[in-house]
Amino acid sequence: MFTRALSRLSVGFYPQLLRILATCGTTVSRAGRIVRAVSENGKLGIVDKGWNDLQTEADRAAQRCIVASLSKSFPNVTIIGEEETDPNEDIKPDWVETSLDENILKHVSNFPEEWKDVKDEDIVIWVDPLDGTAEYTQGLLDHVTVLIGIAVKGKAVAGVIHQPYYNYKAGPGATLGRTIWGMVGLGAFGYTQKQPPKGKNIITTTRSHSNKVVTDSVDACEPTEVIRVGGAGHKVLLLIEGEVHAYVFASPGCKKWDTCAPEAILTAIGGKLTDIHGSKLQYHKEVQHKNTAGVLATFSVDHQWYLDKIPQSAKDALKP
Ligand code: AMP
Ligand code: MG
Ligand code: MG
C-alpha cells in the first residue's frame, strides 16, 4: 500500500510529456509481445486495405493494445492510429499497460525546459502498431517495428521505435526485442550510434512499394549500394546505426504514423527527416495523413546534397 501511494504521488512530479513517453515505452513492448504471439499462433488474418496495403491480426491487436493503454492514462490527448479498429472491441485485460518505463523516467533531471508545460490539447500521438506488414507476412521479421510518435503543436518531438524481433537470429533462449526512444532536446537511447562508412553512399528505400519515380530518385542520388528493406522505422534505425547514409522515398505512400516517431528520434540526435522538397512534415490533428511529397531522411551527411539530387520530375510529381 505504502509503495503504491508513494509511486502515485511521485508520478505527479513528472512533466506530462515525460509521463506520456514513459507510458509509450512500456506499452510498445506489450504491443511487440502481441505481434510475436500472433505470428507464433499462425493465424495472421490478412486483409488488403487497398492496393498492396496489408493488415493482419497483429496490426489490429497491437493497435487496440496501444490505444486502450494510452487513452486510459491520457484521456484528453488525441491519438491517431493507422488501423480502423473499434477501440473497445476485444480488448484483453492484460493488454492495457499503464505503467511507466523507469529507464525513461530517470532522465527527468535533464528534461528540456521547452516541453515542461505542454498542454494535452497541443499533443497528438501517432501510432503505427506494425510497420513493415508486407515483410511480416513474408517472415522478414527484422524489418518489423512498432512506432509511437508524439507531436506537440504539429512538430514531432518524441517517440519510441520497438523492434519485437531484435535478436531473433541469435537462437533459442535469446531475449527478443528492443526499444529505441528519444526526445528533441534530450537525445535518443537504446541503440549504439555509428557513422556510416566513409567513401561510400549507401541508400535505403522501400522493397515492397517501389515504382519508377522511386527508383529514378534513388539512382539520381548516385548510390554505391542500395538496401531495399521494409518499414520506415527499420530504415531510420539503419540510418542512426550507421548502416546507410540516406533514406530516399519519392512516393506519397508513407503516412504520418510511419514518420512521427522516426523523425523525432532522428531530430533528437541532429539528423533530418523532410519531404523531397526539404520542407518539414506537420503532425497536428487535422493534417492529411499521407506524406504526399515523399520522405528524405539523413543523419551525419549533407541533407541538402540529396535534396539537390532528387530529379525535378519527381519534385513536380510529388507536391506537398
Ligand atoms: P516501405 O518502405 O515500403 O515498408 O514503406 C514504409 C511505410 O509506408 C509502410 O508502413 C508502408 O505500408 C507505407 N507505404 C509506403 N508506400 C505505400 C503504398 N504505396 N501504399 C500503402 N502503404 C505504403
Ligand atoms: Mg507503417
Ligand atoms: Mg502499419
Side-chain angles (χ1 to χ4, degrees):
M1 276 300 270
F2 175 71
T3 324
R4 260 211 224 146
L6 190 68
S7 71
R8 212 179 301 138
L9 189 71
S10 58
V11 158
F13 292 117
Y14 294 112
Q16 177 78 331
L17 206 65
L18 190 62
R19 293 181 58 227
I20 294 176
L21 186 58
T23 309
C24 291
T26 55
T27 303
V28 86
S29 300
R30 180 62 58 106
R33 289 209 287 280
I34 293 172
V35 169
R36 290 197 298 265
V38 172
S39 70
E40 277 156 25
N41 167 288
K43 292 186 187 140
L44 292 193
I46 299 172
V47 175
D48 197 343
K49 296 184 284 181
W51 184 82
N52 194 14
D53 190 7
L54 301 182
Q55 183 200 66
T56 70
E57 180 52 28
D59 302 63
R60 296 185 286 272
Q63 173 154 318
R64 285 190 201 114
C65 157
I66 296 168
V67 173
S69 303
L70 295 178
S71 57
K72 181 159 189 206
S73 294
F74 309 104
N76 301 319
V77 171
T78 301
I79 303 170
I80 303 178
E82 173 174 6
E83 311 306 339
E84 279 182 24
T85 55
D86 178 345
N88 300 313
E89 188 196 326
D90 202 18
I91 296 282
K92 302 197 172 41
D94 70 340
W95 285 5
V96 182
E97 174 62 78
T98 55
S99 63
L100 301 167
D101 185 329
E102 294 291 334
N103 280 324
I104 296 180
L105 285 184
K106 74 182 184 200
H107 291 264
V108 65
S109 53
N110 297 324
F111 189 82
E113 203 54 46
E114 197 181 350
W115 313 127
K116 276 203 172 135
D117 298 314
V118 168
K119 296 188 175 51
D120 280 1
E121 58 265 33
D122 291 331
I123 301 173
V124 181
I125 302 178
W126 292 91
V127 178
D128 187 341
L130 199 168
D131 185 42
T133 303
E135 286 71 24
Y136 176 71
T137 65
Q138 294 162 21
L140 295 168
L141 299 176
D142 44 346
H143 299 209
V144 170
T145 59
V146 183
L147 307 173
I148 312 180
I150 305 170
V152 175
K153 293 190 178 169
K155 275 194 211 154
V157 306
V160 294
I161 300 179
H162 180 71
Q163 261 187 319
Y165 293 99
Y166 181 72
N167 232 3
Y168 86 111
K169 287 178 180 156
T175 308
L176 289 183
R178 67 169 174 168
T179 300
I180 294 89
W181 65 274
M183 179 180 279
V184 176
L186 188 61
F189 307 86
Y191 72 104
T192 306
Q193 194 167 304
K194 287 199 203 109
Q195 300 289 316
K198 290 215 175 357
K200 292 188 176 175
N201 178 23
I202 309 171
I203 292 183
T204 188
T205 193
T206 184
R207 71 175 276 284
S208 56
H209 298 101
S210 202
N211 60 42
K212 190 168 175 338
V213 181
V214 168
T215 52
D216 284 353
S217 299
V218 168
D219 292 345
C221 291
E222 302 170 14
T224 56
E225 191 184 333
V226 180
I227 300 187
R228 296 178 199 283
V229 288
H234 180 216
K235 285 191 265 292
V236 169
L237 292 182
L238 294 180
L239 263 182
I240 67 176
E241 296 197 304
E243 302 285 333
V244 302
H245 297 72
Y247 167 20
V248 179
F249 188 50
S251 154
C254 262
K255 321 292 185 315
K256 302 297 174 192
W257 44 75
D258 292 306
T259 48
C260 187
E263 178 178 343
I265 290 172
L266 197 52
T267 309
I269 58 168
K272 279 193 177 156
L273 189 149
T274 66
D275 67 20
I276 61 162
H277 305 276
S279 303
K280 283 196 74 67
L281 305 182
Q282 298 296 317
Y283 295 96
H284 51 82
K285 62 178 173 233
E286 286 89 20
V287 80
Q288 63 168 333
H289 295 164
K290 275 189 173 185
N291 291 319
T292 50
V295 173
L296 172 67
T298 58
F299 172 57
S300 77
V301 296
D302 183 1
H303 195 78
Q304 187 63 46
W305 185 87
Y306 291 89
L307 288 171
D308 292 343
K309 291 285 172 188
I310 302 285
Q312 191 57 46
S313 54
K315 289 178 178 159
D316 292 342
L318 296 170
K319 296 283 186 217

